[in-house]
Amino acid sequence: MQSLVLAGREGSPSFVRRSARLGVLGAVFLGVFSGQGTAYASGIDVYPGSGKWVANTVADAFAELPTGMSVTGVVEGTALVGGAAVAAAPVATAASVAGAVLGTAGALNLLWHIGSGLCIDCSAPVIAAGGVNPGGSCSANSGVTCSGNVFTFGNGKTLTVTMSGGVKVGSTSGTIYVQGDINGSTVAWSRVYAPYGENPPPSCGSGTFTSGSKLCTFQVAGHAVTTAGVQFQNVDGYVLGYYYFLGSGATAPADPAPAPAAPTGAAVQINSTATCTPTAGGAATTVTSSSATFHAGDASYPPVPSGVCPSGSVRTGFSSVVHALTDTTVPDTIIVKPMTLPTTAPTAHPEWAPCYAGGAAYPCRLVLTHTASDGSTRPYDSAVDYPIFDPATDPTGMKDPGPDWSCKWGPLAVATTECRPVYTDVPVGRPNPNSQDNCDGSGFSFNPVSWVVVPLKCLFIPRQSVVQAASATVTTAWNGTALGTVSTAVSGAVAPVVALKDNTGPTSCDGPAFVIPQLPTMPHSVTLHPFSTCNSLTAYVLGIYLPIASAAIYLGGFFAGTRTLLKGFDVEQGAA
Amino acid sequence: MITEAIINVFAAVVAFLVGLLPSWTAPDWLGAAVSTMASAIGDITMLSGWVPVKAVGTAVAFMLACSGIGMAVKVARMVLSLSTGGGGSAG
């Protein structure tokens, strides 16, 4: 009969503490275990502080129990990934606990009762109930009798129980609980034997363990006994241990995705209202549109909805506000001023007069048109009544879309860099005369100041696109050369070293882990942390050594760097 | 416009001169060596409890920056020495 084995392994005390407390009831449970060799419960192992424990490994452990041995237990989960805890639930043989996935700080309190908790009838060492296998022996010293489920022994006498084969708990410390009721006393009696381990500890209470069997002797002490002696009855024993999955064998599931951060700030929405005027004349209408709901604490905001005017009409007015959805005390925040077209064209663009109110072409549609290589044109006004070439462009300026683009406001030709409505200081539906790029003559006006300022600006201030194109030309040529290839490789090699300056230090005091795979003579794989700094003495020494070493490295780097720098000026340090 | 024209001409000249340099395709072992070095650096960071890797990274970054600046100064001095008709030398 296989013994129930709880494999364990010593780990660092900085990790979750493990204690396997093996409760064995005197003669009852000890007789359960007979010497039939050892068996290790697969899947239950000790994990050094970080890993995942899959619930079905409980079934693996219980599956190794011999036929007829019943095990009932309680599995409790703590600190599970995702925050939910597994409620205590009974675990039967070959059963599993669904959903018990643990994270790095997870633990399981595996509590099981072995057998039915009844005493062995020493006259016939058969477990009365519970289905445990018979076995073992029960002997009593002189003066101890056993009848039924009651041990009776006189004061000062000892009950010696021998368990052959025994229960192995690996190399972990263990605690044997022996408890029961003492006849005539309302106080539960118990003895705790610790430590208990696979390699027998030097003592077990008042007794010793011997190889191949577990021997415990215990005495009833401190209790008055009658002349009839003490009856040891209704005994019970239990195994209580903390188990962590070592990871051998089963593949741990991935952590579930973390719950999205709760939105911060009030829920708001951008509401836009567009005034649409039919090009054929008639009353204007309004079109409203809203953005998706977002919060002030969001990393990005949705774009301002534009509100599309129906076909045959153009937008002649627009406004947009940020509206709080739930907090009624917060007024709407205006982000786009309500605007209507002025009646007269600006002095900078008198040629735009036909498109203003009362003008012959009013209302005018702003259309950006692309001319393909084959000469075909494609106006970008299908979605909105005035197209926006690059919505991300700074509204105070606009990137030059290139010579294959053209813009017209109604019948009027305007600069493509102005082909975008500006919401702030110019009426909607009109090109932006404040564009930085009016160098094609569209910015000309009768203002004498602009006759000087605009030409000088256009002559000496390069456009960003031109600078970027020149840089790209040089970079492309350089990357194709041998020097460029070598510099790229050197950069790739140096970058990780330079990135060390951003190192924030170790996330765990364990250091790197080295796993020794399971060998034929080993019950499981072993994970070592030879560079662990969790030890208090090591941490103390490192606390002194590291700052000194860092200071020395900083000073050495400073002097070496400055020496190299000075060499560029032909200045040698220490030169005569 | 004027500045843009100068920039375009300068870029074209530089690109032409750079294009005269021989081209070269990096062998596979160079990429593998770079990857191996990056992996080794990553392993070293695991020993950050014993080795002050942040100090090492900062010192290396500073030395590289000083080397780059020093080299740039030296090259600039060499170029300027040519413009003086060889009256000075920064070689």
Side-chain angles (χ1 to χ4, degrees):
Chain A
M1 181 188 74
Q2 293 177 326
S3 300
L4 174 63
V5 175
L6 309 170
R9 187 169 57 84
E10 288 186 319
S12 166
S14 67
F15 297 105
V16 181
R17 300 192 195 93
R18 301 178 293 102
S19 61
R21 286 170 281 182
L22 176 64
V24 177
L25 168 64
V28 176
F29 299 105
L30 297 182
V32 168
F33 307 101
S34 61
Q36 291 190 5
T38 62
Y40 291 93
S42 66
I44 292 185
D45 215 332
V46 178
Y47 202 74
S50 61
K52 300 176 182 60
W53 194 93
V54 181
N56 57 11
T57 55
V58 177
D60 293 339
F62 290 158
E64 289 199 8
L65 292 177
T67 303
M69 175 179 282
S70 66
V71 174
T72 59
V74 177
V75 176
E76 300 173 338
T78 59
L80 295 178
V81 173
V86 174
V91 178
T93 303
S96 64
V97 178
V101 179
L102 304 178
T104 56
L108 270 185
N109 301 330
L110 190 61
L111 171 68
W112 60 48
H113 293 257
I114 302 175
S116 62
L118 298 180
C119 173
I120 291 179
D121 184 350
C122 283
S123 61
V126 175
I127 303 301
V132 295
N133 286 349
S137 63
C138 172
S139 63
N141 294 345
S142 172
V144 177
T145 61
C146 179
S147 175
N149 63 345
V150 177
F151 288 105
T152 302
F153 47 97
N155 187 23
K157 300 297 181 181
T158 59
L159 173 64
T160 302
V161 181
T162 301
M163 178 180 67
S164 59
V167 176
K168 294 199 174 189
V169 293
S171 61
T172 64
S173 60
T175 303
I176 300 174
Y177 287 93
V178 181
Q179 63 183 33
D181 297 328
I182 298 178
N183 187 31
S185 172
T186 60
V187 178
W189 177 90
S190 65
R191 287 293 294 272
V192 177
Y193 298 93
Y196 175 92
E198 184 174 11
N199 298 315
S203 64
C204 171
S206 61
T208 58
F209 286 107
T210 59
S211 174
S213 66
K214 301 296 181 274
L215 173 66
C216 277
T217 62
F218 45 86
Q219 293 179 318
V220 177
H223 294 277
V225 295
T226 65
T227 54
V230 175
Q231 291 181 329
F232 193 60
Q233 62 189 13
N234 299 325
V235 293
D236 195 4
Y238 57 90
V239 177
L240 181 61
Y242 299 90
Y243 299 98
Y244 308 89
F245 183 49
L246 182 60
S248 59
T251 301
D255 279 330
T264 58
V268 295
Q269 197 174 49
I270 301 177
N271 298 330
S272 298
T273 303
T275 302
C276 304
T277 302
T279 53
T285 59
T286 58
V287 174
T288 59
S289 56
S290 299
S291 71
T293 303
F294 62 100
H295 299 78
D298 291 350
S300 62
Y301 296 155
V304 176
S306 59
V308 179
C309 281
S311 176
S313 63
V314 295
R315 193 181 328 177
T316 54
F318 186 81
S319 66
S320 191
V321 299
V322 176
H323 176 68
L325 293 174
T326 56
D327 192 346
T328 58
T329 64
V330 178
D332 288 350
T333 303
I334 297 175
I335 59 174
V336 177
K337 299 178 184 178
M339 289 173 287
T340 56
L341 276 177
T343 56
T344 58
T347 54
H349 292 281
E351 70 280 10
W352 291 353
C355 284
Y356 281 82
Y362 177 84
C364 295
R365 176 181 289 263
L366 195 65
V367 179
L368 181 69
T369 303
H370 178 257
T371 303
S373 57
D374 61 356
S376 62
T377 59
R378 179 183 174 189
Y380 278 73
D381 65 341
S382 59
V384 296
D385 54 326
Y386 47 81
I388 299 176
F389 181 70
D390 184 355
T393 304
D394 187 340
T396 59
M398 186 172 170
K399 293 188 294 185
D400 185 358
D404 51 346
W405 293 88
S406 60
C407 181
K408 295 185 73 175
W409 188 35
L412 309 174
V414 299
T416 52
T417 53
E418 296 177 358
C419 200
R420 182 177 184 273
V422 177
Y423 299 115
T424 55
D425 56 353
V426 291
V428 168
R430 191 179 69 128
N432 174 22
N434 297 324
S435 168
Q436 293 179 347
D437 187 16
N438 293 328
C439 300
D440 57 355
S442 59
F444 185 83
S445 71
F446 291 101
N447 184 356
V449 176
S450 66
W451 296 352
V452 177
V453 173
V454 173
L456 287 176
K457 181 186 70 175
C458 294
L459 279 176
F460 295 105
I461 299 178
R463 290 169 294 180
Q464 187 65 24
S465 60
V466 174
V467 175
Q468 291 175 348
S471 174
T473 301
V474 175
T475 302
T476 302
W478 170 258
N479 288 340
T481 64
L483 291 178
T485 304
V486 172
S487 65
T488 301
V490 171
S491 299
V494 171
V497 180
V498 175
L500 290 176
K501 65 180 177 57
D502 298 323
N503 182 271
T504 57
T507 57
S508 170
C509 62
D510 295 327
F514 298 90
V515 180
I516 301 176
Q518 182 178 2
L519 301 177
T521 58
M522 292 170 59
H524 50 74
S525 62
V526 177
T527 302
L528 304 177
H529 293 275
F531 299 103
S532 172
T533 61
C534 301
N535 180 276
S536 59
L537 177 60
T538 305
Y540 177 79
V541 173
L542 288 175
I544 299 175
Y545 153 74
L546 284 177
I548 296 175
S550 298
I553 293 173
Y554 283 130
L555 282 175
F558 173 77
F559 285 119
T562 52
R563 180 175 181 177
T564 307
L565 179 62
L566 292 175
K567 280 186 177 178
F569 296 92
D570 283 340
V571 175
E572 293 287 345
Q573 288 179 333
Chain B
M1 292 181 182
I2 295 178
T3 309
E4 289 178 3
I6 294 175
I7 291 175
N8 289 331
V9 170
F10 179 76
V13 171
V14 172
F16 172 75
L17 294 176
V18 170
L20 297 177
L21 295 173
S23 60
W24 184 60
T25 302
D28 295 338
W29 61 263
L30 183 61
V34 172
S35 299
T36 302
M37 183 173 176
S39 299
I41 298 296
D43 294 338
I44 291 175
T45 58
M46 298 174 68
L47 297 174
S48 56
W50 296 86
V51 178
V53 293
K54 185 173 183 178
V56 171
T58 304
V60 169
F62 179 76
M63 288 190 292
L64 289 175
C66 290
S67 299
I69 296 173
M71 185 178 299
V73 169
K74 201 167 187 70
V75 170
R77 292 177 62 220
M78 292 168 65
V79 172
L80 290 176
S81 69
L82 296 175
S83 65
T84 58
S89 174

